[in-house]
Structures are given as structure tokens and as C-alpha cells.
Amino acid sequence: AQKITQTQPGMFVQEKEAVTLDCTYDTSDPSYGLFWYKQPSSGEMIFLIYQGSYDQQNATEGRYSLNFQKARKSANLVISASQLGDSAMYFCAMRDYTRSGSARQLTFGSGTQLTVLP
Amino acid sequence: DVKVTQSSRYLVKRTGEKVFLECVQDMDHENMFWYRQDPGLGLRLIYFSYDVKMKEKGDIPEGYSVSREKKERFSLILESASTNQTSMYLCASSLPLAGGDQPQHFGDGTRLSIL
């Protein structure tokens, strides 16, 4: 079963508008962490924001905020005041356990391609 | 800033060749990771290492091996390359997870084509 689900393969947003990228997750671990990464067309993965499962408040980093709804198991990324440079692929990831169960790894969703229109 | 450097941005090899992908990080990170990225599948973990000479299989280790002889360098090896290993390969590093979640820092990726 997929542990991280991003249901929007592609999204369009007008410049200066806000946009929400969806992410749902599945885990039975009471302690977990959720990450968002941005991948521009050049290929590098850029860390954006992190939310811990016990954090009381939603994480924010500049124009990025994470809408964390624990009961619904969702961790949506909100980008306010979109800019042309925000056009990229966005990945949601969750801290997970390795096959052996002895160590932790990140499990990634399939990504959402965001295009900001001028 | 953390710098993770992958030896090649683009690489073309032939079926059956032994292929080495090299990754070097300059932040003294204990953890290093190799992923492959395919359209519609996101990033999938191949192998990771949490210390020199230590390694652990990720989700898709078949057909790959790794080597970590020095802390700063983590190599991915395709013992006998096959066309289904054509993909984008990403290396990452991070501090240990103990004490809280640590973000992974990625290299620019290697686009590998196996003909």
C-alpha cells in the first residue's frame, strides 16, 4: 500500500495567487515526520519545510506553510503569493522504517508538477 | 551550506557494463543515501549508509551494490547494467536521525542511460 499519496500530478496557479498541494500519508507509528521538497527542472532537490507529528502548530517557512491535519492524515503544502520561480515538481515525504525495521528512511510521494502562470 | 556533489550529470553506458556513480559530501554527515527517480514513481531508496563500511538495503536494492570506504564518499555500483536501470539517480546526505528528524541534502542528480 502506498504510504504517501499525492493525487495531483499537475497544478496550475496564477502568479501572486496562493496554491495548495495535497499530500496524504499512512502510518501506524505514533511518532513520524513529514517533509516537503522542491525539484526545479535543473534536477536538484531542495528541502522546504518539516512537520513533526507531535508539533502543536503548523510549520511555516517564509511563503511556505504546512496544513497539518493529523486525524485526516494529511500534510498539505500551501504556497502563498506564487512566483514564476515556484514552477517545479514538489514532493511530499515521510520518515519511514527500512525493510529490516532497524533504521529509518524517507518514503516519497509521486510528486506534483506546479506551473505558475504569468 | 551543505554541498553534495555527484560525479556526472549525464552518463551513457552499454548493457552489461559495470557502472560506478560517485557521490561526495562536505559536511561530515554520517548518513548517505542513493535514490532513483522515475516519472510517476517519485524517489525510491536503493541503499543507504549510516557509517563508514555500513550499509542497509532500501526498497529497490536488486541489481545494485554500494561502497562507503570514507565518510564523505558513497558509491553506487551497477554490477551489470541493464536497460531497466535507465533513470535519474540522486544522492543525499544527512545528520543522524537521533535527536529529531534531519532533512536530507541532495546532489544535482545523474541522468543515466543504458543502451
Side-chain angles (χ1 to χ4, degrees):
Chain A
Q2 246 183 333
K3 296 198 173 182
I4 292 282
T5 303
Q6 295 181 252
T7 56
Q8 307 153 314
M11 288 278 287
F12 292 87
V13 64
Q14 209 67 40
E15 195 178 6
K16 299 179 185 172
E17 298 287 318
V19 62
T20 298
L21 307 184
D22 294 342
C23 173
T24 58
Y25 59 91
D26 182 26
T27 182
S28 55
D29 191 344
S31 172
Y32 52 91
L34 296 153
F35 300 77
W36 276 92
Y37 283 84
K38 171 184 178 182
Q39 186 182 41
S41 57
S42 51
E44 76 273 25
M45 294 279 285
I46 302 165
F47 165 67
L48 294 178
I49 196 167
Y50 164 77
Q51 179 84 43
S53 58
Y54 290 120
D55 292 342
Q56 295 297 314
Q57 294 191 324
N58 287 345
T60 59
E61 288 287 346
R63 293 186 299 110
Y64 304 108
S65 61
L66 203 151
N67 183 1
F68 182 46
Q69 298 187 42
K70 198 169 181 177
R72 299 178 65 180
K73 293 188 175 179
S74 75
N76 298 339
L77 177 71
V78 181
I79 306 174
S80 62
S82 298
Q83 301 171 357
L84 295 178
D86 293 334
S87 293
M89 182 74 89
Y90 288 81
F91 291 97
C92 179
M94 179 177 69
R95 192 228 304 154
D96 196 2
Y97 283 93
T98 58
R99 278 184 180 181
S100 68
S102 63
R104 289 178 288 183
Q105 65 177 65
L106 284 186
T107 295
F108 286 80
S110 55
T112 296
Q113 179 69 48
L114 176 67
T115 302
V116 181
L117 303 171
Chain B
D1 275 353
V2 177
K3 184 69 175 175
V4 178
T5 304
Q6 294 184 229
S7 53
S8 306
R9 288 301 303 270
Y10 301 92
L11 205 55
V12 180
K13 295 291 182 181
R14 295 206 173 273
T15 304
E17 280 192 71
K18 190 169 187 176
V19 181
F20 293 85
L21 302 184
E22 306 287 345
C23 176
V24 176
Q25 51 95 2
D26 67 357
M27 282 302 291
D28 204 35
H29 283 170
E30 284 80 1
N31 294 346
M32 295 189 75
F33 309 83
W34 274 107
Y35 295 89
R36 67 176 281 176
Q37 181 180 5
D38 300 288
L41 297 177
L43 277 71
R44 293 178 292 166
L45 182 66
I46 304 171
Y47 266 98
F48 81 96
S49 168
Y50 47 90
D51 204 349
V52 175
K53 296 190 186 295
M54 305 299 284
K55 61 186 179 185
E56 181 147 347
K57 292 179 180 179
D59 297 320
I60 51 164
E62 295 78 17
Y64 303 94
S65 63
V66 289
S67 171
R68 194 165 180 202
E69 297 296 319
K70 294 184 178 181
K71 193 174 185 180
E72 67 270 19
R73 185 180 297 271
F74 191 35
S75 303
L76 179 70
I77 304 156
L78 287 66
E79 296 289 343
S80 178
S82 63
T83 54
N84 63 10
Q85 292 178 310
T86 291
S87 187
M88 170 76 134
Y89 290 86
L90 288 158
C91 175
S93 73
S94 79
L95 291 167
L97 292 173
D101 282 310
Q102 302 291 338
Q104 293 181 14
H105 301 270
F106 285 81
D108 290 343
T110 296
R111 293 190 184 274
L112 175 64
S113 295
I114 306 296
L115 305 179

